[in-house]
Amino acid sequence: QKEVEQDPGPLSVPEGAIVSLNCTYSNSAFQYFMWYRQYSRKGPELLMYTYSSGNKEDGRFTAQVDKSSKYISLFIRDSQPSDSATYLCAMSGGSNYKLTFGKGTLLTVNP
Amino acid sequence: DVKVTQSSRYLVKRTGEKVFLECVQDMDHENMFWYRQDPGLGLRLIYFSYDVKMKEKGDIPEGYSVSREKKERFSLILESASTNQTSMYLCASSPKGLAYLEQFFGPGTRLTVL
């Protein structure tokens, strides 16, 4: 079983839709959970991160972590064409510098 | 504006050639990383460095080496390039402490080995 599983999609939605992106993981030592966004022909950039279980909101984006189920989600409300990108989940145990990334989900928001 | 730069956006090399990929960051970050990104496999860590002259193997170090002689520069070396090393190579940097969670990535180098 891979440490981090993420459905690669692709996911195509109309503008204004609510988008749900998800990852599952197997390593109980993970404590920090991140979402990175990668536009075409660019490097990934950090969107938001959460520590342990719970929710975190930043504008149209909400990150959720359920450690009991080893399941994390990113919700995008009122999706825009500018949200079209690959979204990568990433996780860390906090004891070293290493991040473990999911494979990424390609999202397209159609005008 | 913080920046991680990579020496080339596109590179074509022949099998058996020695290949150098250079990465420079201007943020005075302690940590630097080399990843490769392949369709269906995602981002995989090759090597990272947490200080000058220090390096640690990532998940797929075979066939690669690295050098960090200065804090701002981290080089990835393919000693004898092979076709299975055709990939997108991404460099990243991050500060020490908990801020390491935010890695800053360069634009990537697409390497083709013929």
Side-chain angles (χ1 to χ4, degrees), chain A residues 48-109:
Chain A
M48 55 197 306
Y49 83 90
T50 53
Y51 170 69
S52 193
S53 285
N55 293 0
K56 186 173 184 179
E57 190 173 315
D58 184 1
R60 296 185 294 110
F61 298 87
T62 299
Q64 282 188 354
V65 174
D66 181 349
K67 289 192 73 178
S68 63
S69 302
K70 296 188 175 68
Y71 188 89
I72 73 170
S73 301
L74 178 71
F75 297 96
I76 308 174
R77 291 185 301 281
D78 187 26
S79 56
Q80 302 296 308
S82 58
D83 296 327
S84 297
T86 297
Y87 290 80
L88 302 103
C89 61
M91 307 180 187
S92 177
S95 60
N96 62 31
Y97 316 98
K98 185 182 170 186
L99 303 184
T100 302
F101 285 86
K103 294 180 182 179
T105 300
L106 177 61
L107 169 69
T108 301
V109 180

Side-chain angles (χ1 to χ4, degrees), chain B residues 1-20:
Chain B
D1 192 20
V2 297
K3 198 170 268 191
V4 177
T5 57
Q6 295 184 229
S7 50
S8 305
R9 290 303 302 270
Y10 300 94
L11 209 52
V12 179
K13 296 292 181 181
R14 297 278 179 193
T15 301
E17 279 193 78
K18 190 169 186 175
V19 182
F20 292 86

Side-chain angles (χ1 to χ4, degrees), chain B residues 27-86:
Chain B
M27 295 166 280
D28 201 33
H29 284 167
E30 285 73 18
N31 306 321
M32 296 189 75
F33 308 82
W34 276 106
Y35 295 89
R36 62 178 285 178
Q37 188 173 33
D38 301 286
L41 296 176
L43 269 174
R44 293 181 292 167
L45 181 64
I46 304 172
Y47 267 98
F48 71 99
S49 169
Y50 54 88
D51 202 351
V52 175
K53 296 191 186 295
M54 305 304 290
K55 61 185 178 184
E56 286 199 27
K57 293 179 180 179
D59 300 316
I60 51 162
E62 296 78 19
Y64 303 95
S65 62
V66 291
S67 173
R68 192 167 180 201
E69 296 296 319
K70 293 186 176 182
K71 189 176 185 181
E72 67 271 18
R73 190 178 297 268
F74 193 34
S75 302
L76 180 69
I77 303 149
L78 287 65
E79 295 290 342
S80 178
S82 64
T83 55
N84 64 11
Q85 293 178 310
T86 291

